[in-house]
Amino acid sequence: MKILFLVQGEGRGHLTQAISMSQILRKAGHEVAAAMVGVSPGRVIPAFFEEQVAAPVFHFSAPNIVYNSQVAGINLKATVYNLFKNHAEYLAGLRLINNNIEEIKPDLIISFYETFSGLYNVLYRSKIPMICIAHQYLLLHPRFIFPKNSSINQLIINFNSKLTSWLSAKRLALSFREIESRNDLKITVVPPLLRREVVNMQAVSEDFFLVYMTHHSLSKQIIEWHLAHPEVRLHCFWDNAEVSDEFVFDETLTFHRINSKKYLQMLASCKALVTTAGFESVCEAMYLGKPVMMVPVPNHFEQECNAMDGVISGAGVTSKTFDLSIMLDYLPKHMDQSQKFRSWYHRGEAMFLKEIEAFGKKNKATVS
């Protein structure tokens, strides 16, 4: 099959999921004809994506989350304002998606929670089947457990998930643990997608905490805690383009520019991971047997859900702030769930190919 990817460029998770899927598909003899990634001002698509997805990569303008520069968290007003301000660019992005799809003529489109995927299906009425893959689709499952008093946020995030998958053939919901699928809702629950680099890592435990943050404004909390606990070694990854690739704050605190290879090496050797509650980062840590402290970005309901689901799945502990004392207290209580998680993960390749190749069989039957 010739397959085209639509990938949300916000954060790291959807990009690495697309890389993992490309590896699975090529191993099974399929072709990833192209990957189209949504970009916006200030959002830099990491170099490792183009290197590892091993397919032509096209960029198009897409909405993004705007963060506060002074107080860490999402700026909802600015995010909505940009949506209306840049609507002409976004419409051009949709046209670019359609033009590339018409030129490439894929047998199947796989969307990794790209905002425009559902709109593309509605506006252009494409006959090419689309499969949508993301952890967010698990939130549409009746068994998903949400934070308390979050009805409005549930409606918003689930509306967005439906928006990204309008008229799609199937939703593959990535999950920390096995839950029954709901075919009536087009939801098939599947294991996480991890890059082979993670799977091939040999985990050891050295005396330092690894910290991963989605925005460098969150570093203020890290520095405050560090100054009160200088004896704890910290290595932090951030997106601050105004400093060198490696910024040594002092003897026990170092900040690193986001670098995929370097991050994975440190993840495999750290004592524990402290991170904003992105699904992908937590999965990588669980596979390598690393306890996780999940700190959802303020006003980021999806990450609040990830953190709660991660705690239920045995990943670690959650906190509203980067108070690493919580992780220090938690470590002696942590029960390693890596063996159970790995067993679930290794069922994934066969499950993904079964769902994807079913469309190839339907297309052949239609042609014949």
Side-chain angles (χ1 to χ4, degrees), residues 185-198:
L185 300 175
K186 294 185 179 180
I187 296 174
T188 300
V189 180
V190 291
L193 281 162
L194 298 177
R195 289 171 292 163
R196 287 179 187 163
E197 292 89 338
V198 177

Side-chain angles (χ1 to χ4, degrees), residues 6 36 60 93-101 116 120:
L6 290 174
M36 299 196 66
F60 59 91
L94 276 164
R95 288 194 294 271
L96 180 60
I97 291 173
N98 183 58
N99 291 340
N100 281 337
I101 289 175
F116 285 161
Y120 164 76

